[in-house]
Amino acid sequence: MKYFFQFEQRNTNYRTETMAGITTFLSIAYILVVNPMILSQAGMDRGAVFTATAISAIIGSLLIGLLANFPIGIAPSMGLNSFFTFSVCIGMGIKWEIALTGVFVAGILFMILSLLKIREKIINIIPSDLKYAIAAGIGFFVAFIGFKNAGIIVQSDATFVSIGDLTSPGTVLALFGFTLAVILMVRNVSGGIFYSMVITTIVGILAGQIDKPEAIIGEVPSLAPTFGVVFTHIGDIFSLEILAVIFTFLFVALFDTAGALIAIASQAGLMKNNEIPNAGRALLADATAAVAGGVMGTSTTACVVESSAGISVGGRTGFTSVVIAGCFAVALFFSPILSVVTPEVTAPALIIVGALMASEISKISWSNFTVIISSFITIIMMPLTYSIATGIALAFILYPLGMTASGKWKEVHPIIYVLGLIFIGYFIFL
């Protein structure tokens, strides 16, 4: 196994990889609670969605670990599950069965694009400066999520966002966890983020801020209410409205995953000559998980940016992803205990990881104005629009525009021009 996962080449070991896998799982375990809660508002069975969420994460994480040797977790996308419920089902009045069929069809298209290496080609032709900007932007985005989950940043009618009540119990707990994590990281304690999450959870329970789980082991909910419904609704997708929905699933998931892969590969030191090794296999794993998720009953999956938490602990190989998959498998039977992993517990890890990822900003060529403006817009728009895909799309519009205006249009790959036009059309019409 050491040879298969290239432990020596990547300077890692079983203990580090295992701790990294557990850390990433704890950072994304909330998806097992939140995803069923969101999709149930579209009319889906909450228990079935819980099981579908876990199994799709198991399949995706296991495949990306074994096929691509990447330390990345795959799970249903938080942005796309909200789009599925509030925009498609509630906003457009589309039945969840038909929307789920759209997820399935988008997943099939993902697989085709992955097998043809089109998705891999798109990732590898992105200029290095934009890749650094994407990684840094995701760092700011992840940190923003952490501040929001901690209650440090809250919504404001006057200024959109504002500082929250730093004396509220949940925020105090998050600040305690953040302080503890910083101290452990500064003192170079291996697995400092993981230990801080465990200690914060214990302190939260003792302080009465986190409820004790009512049970340890729970029954695995049945998939019957959602499993296979996509096959009976294939004929319902052939309308302009549904095709637009499918394209949106395809567009957002493609560039969410592309952004996550770029950021995480850069953070882990896996990027070689501005290319990501085994990117095609990683994308195929992601596409397969999306198809499986659609069949079982959950919205589109994607590589999760919270994987950076595990990488900060030292995860460098696919063994980390195998551990993530194992944790999701165990979670199927221990669902009641997941209630102790609250947003306040995971928020400090996201803030610190965001800071580490944002350091990629130093590698950008700040002497080139075209690079400056496209990188800046990419970075700032990710947290402001709460979308990785939107930040990348704007970069693909601004970069070729600037290069053309400066007379350097030949240095831009033709595919980037094509994508730029597609994104302009996307913002205008969709």
Side-chain angles (χ1 to χ4, degrees):
M1 292 205 8
K2 287 182 180 179
Y3 175 80
F4 179 82
F5 288 109
Q6 302 176 355
F7 276 16
E8 290 186 8
Q9 294 94 316
R10 300 190 184 182
N11 192 29
T12 188
N13 53 60
Y14 284 118
R15 179 184 177 277
T16 300
E17 295 291 305
T18 300
M19 186 167 291
I22 296 173
T23 300
T24 295
F25 169 74
L26 291 177
S27 297
I28 61 176
Y30 68 86
I31 198 67
L32 291 169
V33 178
V34 177
N35 197 48
M37 180 184 69
I38 291 176
L39 295 186
S40 65
Q41 296 180 62
M44 299 181 69
D45 182 86
R46 184 174 295 198
V49 174
F50 168 83
T51 303
T53 300
I55 295 178
S56 63
I58 292 169
I59 292 172
S61 301
L62 199 59
L63 285 178
I64 201 170
L66 296 177
L67 293 180
N69 199 20
F70 274 15
I72 296 176
I74 292 178
S77 166
M78 275 298 295
L80 284 173
N81 60 11
S82 296
F83 173 74
F84 180 101
T85 297
F86 302 113
S87 295
V88 178
C89 295
I90 297 177
M92 299 171 68
I94 296 173
K95 294 181 179 180
W96 68 264
E97 294 91 343
I98 300 175
L100 195 63
T101 306
V103 169
F104 173 73
V105 172
I108 295 294
L109 294 175
F110 273 136
M111 292 189 73
I112 295 172
L113 292 175
S114 300
L115 290 171
L116 294 177
K117 297 188 175 181
I118 295 175
R119 293 176 75 190
E120 181 179 5
K121 181 70 174 178
I122 291 172
I123 291 176
N124 286 332
I125 65 170
I126 298 175
S128 57
D129 285 309
L130 291 188
K131 283 182 176 174
Y132 297 138
I134 290 168
I138 290 177
F140 283 99
F141 178 63
V142 168
F144 182 74
I145 294 173
F147 284 121
K148 173 180 172 290
N149 290 349
I152 296 173
I153 297 296
V154 297
Q155 181 179 347
S156 168
D157 292 334
T159 59
F160 290 105
V161 293
S162 179
I163 192 165
D165 181 4
L166 301 185
T167 63
S168 66
T171 303
V172 170
L173 181 64
L175 290 172
F176 166 79
F178 177 74
T179 304
L180 179 61
V182 169
I183 292 172
L184 293 175
M185 293 284 285
V186 168
R187 297 188 63 83
N188 296 317
V189 175
S190 179
I193 291 179
F194 171 75
Y195 292 132
S196 69
M197 292 170 70
V198 173
I199 294 172
T200 302
T201 300
I202 295 172
V203 170
I205 292 174
L206 294 176
Q209 182 57 33
I210 298 176
D211 295 331
K212 295 179 181 179
E214 297 179 358
I216 301 298
I217 300 176
E219 183 179 349
V220 179
S222 171
L223 276 174
T226 58
F227 184 82
V229 299
V230 297
F231 299 119
T232 60
H233 289 82
I234 293 294
D236 297 326
I237 66 169
F238 298 103
S239 70
L240 187 60
E241 188 178 49
I242 303 301
L243 291 176
V245 169
I246 292 173
F247 177 80
T248 302
F249 282 136
L250 191 68
F251 165 79
V252 177
L254 168 60
F255 288 95
D256 271 356
T257 293
L261 276 180
I262 291 169
I264 292 167
S266 177
Q267 182 188 2
L270 301 178
M271 196 176 296
K272 307 294 182 184
N273 299 319
N274 197 38
E275 294 188 354
I276 303 174
N278 294 328
R281 295 183 178 185
L283 293 167
L284 181 59
D286 177 41
T288 304
V291 172
V295 172
M296 288 180 292
T298 184
S299 53
T300 306
T301 59
C303 295
V304 293
V305 293
E306 289 90 346
S307 301
S308 51
I311 292 173
S312 68
V313 173
R316 293 295 180 271
T317 76
F319 191 79
T320 292
S321 299
V322 172
V323 173
I324 295 169
C327 289
F328 272 108
V330 172
L332 275 170
F333 302 93
F334 291 86
S335 56
I337 205 171
L338 291 174
S339 62
V340 302
V341 185
T342 64
E344 292 84 3
V345 169
T346 60
L350 298 181
I351 296 170
I352 291 174
V353 166
L356 294 173
M357 295 175 71
S359 65
E360 294 292 310
I361 202 171
S362 65
K363 300 177 183 178
I364 298 172
S365 302
W366 293 107
S367 58
N368 184 325
F369 182 75
T370 297
V371 171
I372 289 174
I373 193 64
S374 54
S375 297
F376 174 75
I377 293 298
T378 299
I379 293 169
I380 197 169
M381 291 303 285
M382 285 187 185
L384 291 184
T385 63
Y386 218 72
S387 170
I388 294 171
T390 298
I392 296 175
L394 292 171
F396 271 68
I397 294 172
L398 290 172
Y399 184 78
L401 180 63
M403 292 295 281
T404 300
S406 61
K408 299 178 181 179
W409 61 272
K410 291 184 179 180
E411 298 179 19
V412 181
H413 197 285
I415 292 179
I416 293 182
Y417 286 110
V418 174
L419 288 172
L421 292 173
I422 291 174
F423 294 145
I424 291 173
Y426 175 81
F427 285 123
I428 292 174
F429 299 108
L430 296 178

